[in-house]
Amino acid sequence: MGYQARVKIVCILCKERDAIGRKLCRRCYMECARNGSLQNYPILGPTDIFQSRIRKTKDCWLWTGAKNGYGYGILLLPGEKRVRAHRYSYEFFKGAIPEGKIIMHSCDNPPCVNPAHLRIGTKAENNADTRKKRRHNYGLDHWNGRLTDCDIQDIKNSNETQAALAKKYRVNQSHICRIKSGFVRK
């Protein structure tokens, strides 16, 4: 099964008309089908589709294809395998991603696939970067948040034990520890 491009691709034979299949225009496609040379021309592949779904701006290369709920681009590879577009971009332009590593954005823009903005990192490095740039959601902004800004301030000022505060606010004691230690700054 071939891919469908969302941008116009020029025929690789006549270089005049828009391609419809195998990177050939209708006229060249029909001619190749008649003379039996159609198999000599490549079908659209993941690389063609990847490049057709990028809109380059001054800084970022924005993915215009499908995205997940977090805004990261999704590319469907043969065999119905889904891969994040920024990971595909890194592997295409820079090379393999080591086992257990992730790809981090220096631009903090999830749909960006510009290889100059991508680097290999660990989950711990990504979490530290997120914390440093204050991109984590805290308090009621978090999807599972239970503590208001006022609750967090009360916990910081309290002399009660962490266990007692955890029970009072119905959160884990380790979360109380993070608040008391200053990791949660609201």
Side-chain angles (χ1 to χ4, degrees):
M1 181 181 129
Y3 289 89
Q4 290 181 340
R6 291 185 184 154
V7 297
K8 295 182 187 243
I9 297 174
V10 176
C11 177
I12 59 176
L13 280 181
C14 70
K15 300 190 183 344
E16 294 175 9
R17 295 175 291 279
D18 294 335
I20 59 157
R22 294 191 178 261
K23 301 182 187 177
L24 300 171
C25 67
R26 183 171 305 281
R27 184 180 295 163
C28 294
Y29 186 96
M30 296 306 288
E31 179 62 33
C32 290
R34 276 192 293 278
N35 68 27
S37 65
L38 201 53
Q39 71 278 0
N40 297 334
Y41 299 96
I43 60 172
L44 291 176
T47 302
D48 300 304
I49 299 309
F50 172 77
Q51 291 177 336
S52 76
R53 294 186 180 159
I54 297 171
R55 182 173 50 86
K56 294 181 181 180
T57 66
K58 189 176 80 172
D59 295 316
C60 293
W61 296 3
L62 301 176
W63 179 253
T64 62
K67 296 180 183 100
N68 68 13
Y70 299 103
Y72 292 96
I74 301 295
L75 179 64
L76 190 63
L77 297 177
E80 300 293 312
K81 181 180 178 192
R82 293 174 182 265
V83 64
R84 288 191 176 183
H86 67 283
R87 290 181 64 86
Y88 185 89
S89 177
Y90 186 91
E91 288 185 325
F92 181 75
F93 290 105
K94 292 187 172 185
I97 301 169
E99 186 71 30
K101 298 292 185 175
I102 65 168
I103 300 301
M104 297 173 55
H105 287 86
S106 63
C107 60
D108 299 327
N109 188 2
C112 180
V113 295
N114 184 343
H117 295 182
L118 305 174
R119 71 175 181 87
I120 289 179
T122 64
K123 287 183 180 180
E125 288 174 322
N126 196 40
N127 287 337
D129 182 59
T130 301
R131 226 179 0 262
K132 179 179 147 197
K133 294 177 179 175
R134 303 284 296 144
R135 286 185 287 120
H136 265 300
N137 293 321
Y138 293 103
L140 296 178
D141 292 337
H142 188 272
W143 68 272
N144 195 24
R146 298 183 186 118
L147 302 176
T148 65
D149 293 346
C150 186
D151 292 338
I152 292 171
Q153 198 57 48
D154 290 345
I155 290 168
K156 286 181 178 183
N157 296 333
S158 176
N159 290 327
E160 294 181 65
T161 66
Q162 290 181 7
L165 289 168
K167 190 172 187 177
K168 177 180 177 181
Y169 290 99
R170 295 181 18 224
V171 295
N172 195 295
Q173 182 270 327
S174 64
H175 191 56
I176 300 294
C177 181
R178 283 193 296 277
I179 292 169
K180 290 263 192 194
S181 300
F183 285 110
V184 178
R185 294 189 200 106
K186 276 197 174 183

